Amino acid sequence: MNTIPLVSEAQRERQLRRSDSALPELWTLLDSVTDPEIPVVSLWDLGVLQDIKKDGERLLVEITPTYSGCPAMVEMASEIEKTLTAAGYTNVEVVSLLTPTWTTDFMSTQGREKLREYGIAPPAPKAQGKKIACPQCGSTDSELISEFGSTACKALYRCGDCLEPFDYFKCI
Ligand SMILES: [Zn+2]
């Protein structure tokens, strides 16, 4: 069975930044920005959106890239700008945080669930080791077919039980 991991400390801290934010409407607004490759998962759920700050007149949106060199990140940053600009915020800067690096700990529990429903195996918490659960049947009898799945950010696995191939969202 696939168990949903408990919310991590990193995720809890991120949740606090959101709930204590002076700009709650902007977090809500950015919930509409999703991963261009996985349209069911928002940048928030993915753990990419870290903070929204005001620096004078300028809005700073801090994001953590999931996978260095992932072309989707450029698209996400421009989607954030577009969304804020459309809402009347014209002075926006998207800042990529290089530390701490993105880990699967940033992902929300809901985000992992949505990935699985979408047919992509969510990143396994480090403690779980290398056993990747099939998003279709939950079996961990899976084998790596290719380090690169439908995109460079995913690996291709095949389930040994239902024999379905599936994408696995790679951890760094
Ligand atoms: Zn399966």
Side-chain angles (χ1 to χ4, degrees), residues 17-148:
R17 281 201 293 275
R18 178 171 185 154
S19 53
D20 292 351
S21 172
L23 308 159
E25 69 282 6
L26 297 187
W27 291 88
T28 309
L29 188 62
L30 289 186
D31 277 340
S32 66
V33 182
T34 57
D35 184 325
E37 290 165 1
I38 317 163
V40 291
V41 181
S42 71
L43 297 194
W44 166 257
D45 283 331
L46 201 55
V48 162
L49 182 57
Q50 292 294 343
D51 210 350
I52 306 173
K53 295 171 178 169
K54 241 183 165 169
D55 176 27
E57 285 304 296
R58 190 159 42 160
L59 272 184
L60 294 179
V61 181
E62 295 181 342
I63 60 169
T64 304
T66 51
Y67 186 79
S68 65
C70 183
M73 294 308 302
V74 179
E75 230 174 294
M76 289 182 205
S78 95
E79 236 0 84
I80 289 173
E81 280 179 33
K82 248 190 268 171
T83 303
L84 290 171
T85 306
Y89 301 91
T90 47
N91 197 345
V92 177
E93 188 180 347
V94 179
V95 184
S96 282
L97 303 176
L98 298 178
T99 53
T101 50
W102 183 86
T103 77
T104 55
D105 289 349
F106 284 137
M107 275 197 89
S108 71
T109 307
Q110 195 193 14
R112 290 165 201 265
E113 233 347 73
K114 284 187 197 161
L115 267 189
R116 206 167 57 76
E117 281 167 16
Y118 195 63
I120 297 174
K126 283 166 218 131
Q128 231 172 280
K130 286 287 173 195
K131 285 287 173 199
I132 311 301
C134 166
Q136 317 293 342
C137 71
S139 166
T140 51
D141 177 21
S142 58
E143 61 167 333
L144 178 68
I145 305 293
S146 165
E147 275 297 336
F148 297 97

Side-chain angles (χ1 to χ4, degrees), residues 133-139 141 158-164 166:
C134 166
Q136 317 293 342
C137 71
S139 166
D141 177 21
R158 186 179 323 139
C159 177
D161 279 328
C162 70
L163 304 178
E164 285 294 322
F166 63 89

